Amino acid sequence: MSTVFALVDCNNFYASCEKLFRPDLKYKPVAVLSNNDGCIVARSKEVKALGIKMGVPVFKIRDEIEKYGIVCFSSNYALYADLSNRVMTLLEEEAPRVEVYSIDEAFMDLSGIETAIDYEAFARRVKHKIDTWTGIAVGIGIAPTKTLAKLANYAAKKYTATGGVVDLMEAERQRKLMALVEVGDVWGVGRRISEKLRALGIHTALDLADSDPKSLRSEFSVVLERTIRELNGVSCLELESVAPTKKQIVCSRSFGNRITDKAELREAIAKYTTRAAEKLRGEKRLARVVQVFIRTGVFNPNDPRYSNSLSVELPNPTDDTRDLLEATDVLFRRIFKAGFRYAKAGVMLSDFYEHGTFQADLFRSNAQRDNAKHLMEVVDRINHSGLGNVFFAAQGTTPQWSMKRDHLSPAYTTRWEDLPRVR
DNA sequence: TCTGGGGTCCTAGGACCC
DNA sequence: TCTGGGGTCCTAGGACCC
């Protein structure tokens, strides 16, 4: 039986999470800010209605924030992840095959579910259940391909008369909707490609659906060809209910303030390395390639710019924080140059191996550090237990470089150590 | 003064080999 | 003047997503 895709997407997710615990803000404009309180990354519908765009730097809209009384929150990922898990768990109770696509959306396969003979009625019931159990409003789009399900979801949110659910299984309805949707709003068509498409006279989703996939493939890529086929009801993208293992782990941050001091930057690198190593162990993988990058700001034309990165292939893949710290420190010392105001740094891990699958070089020492596995397990367990925090000396204890989070909401649903500390 | 973070996939082009 | 033809592997960069 072919897959029936339902895309469930939480409305204004981060902003909705913040409102959940602040009923006084129910009809007020609420925005969530990026790290360092730099940009707007989520907007409640009231903020959208004010015409404030996604991604604008906060300092550019100070006047509007003041004028309209927009309530701003620093991003509180512990809270959003917790609420996300609750929503996803409910979906998994309703359908055997669910792909958690991002923190606020998931694809479900509705085919063969006894309680989902009438897809639309099923979706309305699921929507109602999520709403009553978590307080989060969702939109649901149903279609024979992922790209069409995205489109159906877009319609479910845009047209309030739909009540937040759109069934787009019929070809005729698909075409009717596509005629109304700009080509840039199709999933997989970004700013660059939509510009080029418009130059070719392709303005709506329907124009794109009626284009020749082969000739657009040669002009663009196989990705766009798949999009065209998906718009015509031919499924090219499968539901992936088991999360694929990561190929890369990145830990990077912009700093609350520019950093000029080498020791401070070094501490930041150590911190990101530690975090990346934790993620790596969470994936149950060993990494062989380690990369470090540092860079100055890119927006101030008067500041001298410097940006560099360096990677190294380790003799043996590892998940030991100490090995990784050693490697990133060497890399950092090689690329650091004094005299610049650094704005961002990061650590990347790649080239992953499963435990026990790496063929070690005969002539190199294969000695994993003694007790490495056990030690790392203990460190991770303590840090996740809520009992305390174990860390490596290189991280430093009083980071000057930590993020600005001046508008953080309390950790309503999460661990007490996530609560903002009173200083 | 102040502009997020973490991913994926695809392609072109260079190095290298026979 | 004319300057092979495949193949593989790797990397950097572009484009997209949330």
Side-chain angles (χ1 to χ4, degrees):
Chain A
M1 188 185 293
S2 55
T3 308
V4 175
F5 293 95
L7 176 63
V8 181
D9 187 323
C10 301
N11 299 349
N12 319 317
F13 185 55
Y14 296 170
S16 303
C17 292
E18 297 293 350
K19 282 193 179 194
L20 218 46
F21 297 91
R22 291 286 303 273
D24 57 308
L25 298 179
K26 189 160 182 188
Y27 302 107
K28 299 265 166 61
V30 165
V32 177
L33 312 181
S34 64
N35 287 331
N36 295 314
D37 298 340
C39 303
I40 305 280
V41 293
R43 305 156 297 158
S44 72
K45 74 168 189 273
E46 296 81 8
V47 176
K48 289 179 183 172
L50 290 171
I52 290 176
K53 298 274 179 260
M54 175 77 174
V56 289
V58 172
F59 72 88
K60 284 191 180 170
I61 55 162
R62 289 256 181 251
D63 292 349
E64 284 93 327
I65 290 174
E66 176 80 11
K67 182 171 166 196
Y68 299 112
I70 298 172
V71 181
C72 292
F73 289 92
S74 302
S75 36
N76 184 346
Y77 288 101
L79 174 66
Y80 313 147
D82 184 71
L83 288 165
S84 173
N85 283 334
R86 293 171 194 224
V87 171
M88 300 308 171
T89 303
L90 290 177
L91 294 181
E92 278 157 2
E93 285 173 10
E94 297 295 331
R97 300 213 315 131
V98 174
E99 173 185 342
V100 177
Y101 180 72
S102 73
I103 193 162
D104 71 338
E105 46 187 301
F107 289 100
M108 290 195 279
D109 179 8
L110 302 191
S111 66
I113 300 177
E114 276 179 32
T115 53
I117 304 301
D118 177 340
Y119 301 134
E120 191 179 323
F122 175 83
R124 289 194 193 283
R125 194 173 59 71
V126 170
K127 175 177 162 57
H128 184 253
K129 181 174 172 181
I130 294 172
D131 201 351
T132 31
W133 290 32
T134 69
I136 297 287
V138 300
I140 304 183
I142 302 152
T145 71
K146 280 186 166 178
T147 306
L148 284 169
K150 272 275 186 184
L151 211 66
N153 188 281
Y154 170 89
K157 287 188 171 174
K158 180 161 181 177
Y159 305 110
T160 49
T162 62
V165 173
V166 167
D167 176 347
L168 209 58
M169 289 299 287
E170 278 173 40
E172 203 168 311
R173 293 197 78 195
Q174 293 162 13
R175 295 185 65 83
K176 237 168 104 180
L177 175 61
M178 284 194 287
L180 301 172
V181 176
E182 281 179 40
V183 72
D185 290 328
V186 173
W187 191 42
V189 179
R191 196 173 47 87
R192 288 297 170 83
I193 289 177
S194 64
E195 270 170 29
K196 283 194 194 169
L197 287 174
R198 278 196 294 271
L200 294 172
I202 297 167
H203 298 279
T204 67
L206 188 61
D207 293 340
L208 182 60
D210 288 339
S211 305
D212 177 35
K214 279 284 170 238
S215 65
L216 284 195
R217 174 184 182 148
S218 59
E219 197 140 342
F220 296 87
S221 80
V222 65
V223 181
L224 192 64
E225 182 191 11
R226 282 201 281 259
T227 300
I228 296 173
R229 295 197 190 283
E230 286 241 321
L231 287 176
N232 283 285
V234 179
S235 179
C236 304
L237 305 167
E238 302 286 299
L239 188 99
E240 293 172 31
S241 44
V242 271
T245 53
K246 283 196 173 59
K247 296 176 177 171
Q248 185 187 44
I249 287 171
V250 180
C251 269
S252 70
R253 289 284 180 284
S254 301
F255 306 125
N257 298 300
R258 298 284 186 261
I259 293 183
T260 50
D261 184 51
K262 183 173 182 182
E264 255 182 65
L265 197 51
R266 191 171 165 244
E267 276 183 18
I269 296 286
K271 169 78 177 174
Y272 306 152
T273 306
T274 307
R275 188 77 249 297
E278 280 170 16
K279 286 193 202 172
L280 182 65
R281 293 193 291 271
E283 291 281 311
K284 302 203 185 312
R285 288 292 182 280
L286 307 172
R288 189 151 73 128
V289 171
V290 183
Q291 186 177 351
V292 169
F293 72 86
I294 54 178
R295 69 166 172 77
T296 57
V298 290
F299 294 102
N300 188 343
N302 301 321
D303 257 6
R305 288 201 201 171
Y306 174 65
S307 164
N308 206 350
S309 75
L310 195 61
S311 63
V312 65
E313 186 169 305
L314 302 173
N316 294 299
T318 182
D319 66 355
D320 188 318
T321 302
R322 294 166 297 174
D323 294 335
L324 296 168
L325 278 171
E326 211 174 281
T328 56
D329 200 45
V330 170
L331 295 170
F332 168 66
R333 287 163 188 280
R334 291 237 207 114
I335 57 175
F336 178 80
K337 275 200 207 163
F340 292 98
R341 301 175 66 233
Y342 290 94
K344 185 172 180 173
V347 169
M348 271 182 251
L349 306 179
S350 55
D351 195 11
F352 295 158
Y353 293 82
E354 282 181 61
H355 287 264
T357 58
F358 180 72
Q359 187 64 52
D361 185 331
L362 208 56
F363 299 101
R364 280 212 184 94
S365 153
N366 188 24
Q368 255 215 335
R369 293 175 191 248
D370 289 344
N371 307 324
K373 187 159 177 282
H374 187 60
L375 175 64
M376 291 305 131
E377 276 171 12
V378 171
V379 169
D380 287 346
R381 207 180 314 136
I382 292 173
N383 287 345
H384 289 150
S385 68
L387 293 174
N389 224 327
V390 178
F391 55 89
F392 292 84
Q395 280 168 244
T397 51
T398 51
Q400 301 297 302
W401 40 266
S402 56
M403 284 192 289
K404 233 181 266 171
R405 290 176 97 188
D406 291 342
H407 312 284
L408 188 63
S409 53
Y412 298 104
T413 67
T414 47
R415 309 172 302 172
W416 71 266
E417 71 269 25
D418 290 326
L419 286 165
R421 294 284 190 267
V422 180
R423 276 182 265 273

